[in-house]
């Protein structure tokens, strides 16, 4: 789902993130029930939020990570519904890395990749074949 926000509109649990300007946000159906760290966004530090890649652009997570979804700031864009979302992947393809997530969450990259649970499909890509 993609939704328009006006300045002052808030998202997620407790309305922790409030839009300062008109923007669009999208719902991505992954959350802490899938192993996404709840602390991927920090109150008062939205620029430190983890990102995902949608339509080849990095999109910051806004508000609190919910059990089954995250809200991402699309910055006024409207990617097609069903667009691929890269939670972490090869930086050459525009995706955030597990290290990027670790830095946003104040942890190590091993914690990020090992916490992803059975509700997610893992796809391993041979890095040599990508070159």
């Amino acid at each position: 789902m993609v939704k328009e926000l006006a300045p002052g509109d808030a998202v997620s649990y407790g309305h922790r993130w409030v839009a300062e300007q008109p923007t669009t946000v999208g719902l991505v159906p992954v959350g802490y029930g899938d192993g996404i760290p709840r602390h991927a966004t920090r109150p008062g530090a939205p620029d430190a939020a983890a990102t995902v890649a949608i339509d080849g652009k990095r999109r910051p997570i806004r508000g609190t990570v919910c059990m089954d979804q995250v809200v991402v700031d699309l910055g006024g864009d409207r990617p097609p519904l069903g667009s691929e979302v890269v939670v972490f992947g090869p930086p050459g393809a525009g995706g955030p890395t597990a290290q990027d997530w670790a830095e946003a969450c104040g942890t190590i990259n091993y914690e990020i990749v090992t916490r992803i649970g059975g509700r997610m499909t893992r796809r391993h890509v041979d890095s040599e074949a990508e070159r």
Side-chain angles (χ1 to χ4, degrees):
M1 181 170 85
V2 174
K3 185 175 180 179
E4 303 289 331
L5 294 184
D9 287 345
V11 299
S12 201
Y13 296 146
H15 295 131
R16 283 186 31 206
W17 183 80
V18 179
E20 294 179 2
Q21 58 194 22
T23 191
T24 51
V25 293
L27 292 180
V28 178
V30 297
Y32 64 78
D34 303 294
I36 300 298
R38 250 184 123 239
H39 54 284
T41 58
R42 291 183 248 165
D47 293 335
T51 62
V52 298
I54 303 173
D55 238 11
K57 293 183 182 177
R58 300 279 284 268
R59 314 290 184 158
I61 295 174
R62 298 297 191 212
T64 304
V65 173
C66 302
M67 182 184 293
D68 298 312
Q69 66 188 15
V70 295
V71 178
V72 297
D73 190 346
L74 299 171
D77 294 341
R78 293 189 72 85
L81 294 178
S83 293
E84 181 179 68
V85 176
V86 177
V87 177
F88 45 83
T97 64
Q99 183 61 35
D100 293 332
W101 273 78
E103 290 170 11
C105 296
T107 188
I108 59 172
N109 57 15
Y110 293 101
E111 179 184 356
I112 299 300
V113 296
T114 58
R115 73 184 308 142
I116 302 300
R119 296 187 345 175
M120 299 288 284
T121 301
R122 293 176 187 243
R123 183 172 52 132
H124 300 273
V125 178
D126 183 354
S127 61
E128 293 297 319
E130 291 289 310
R131 293 183 186 171

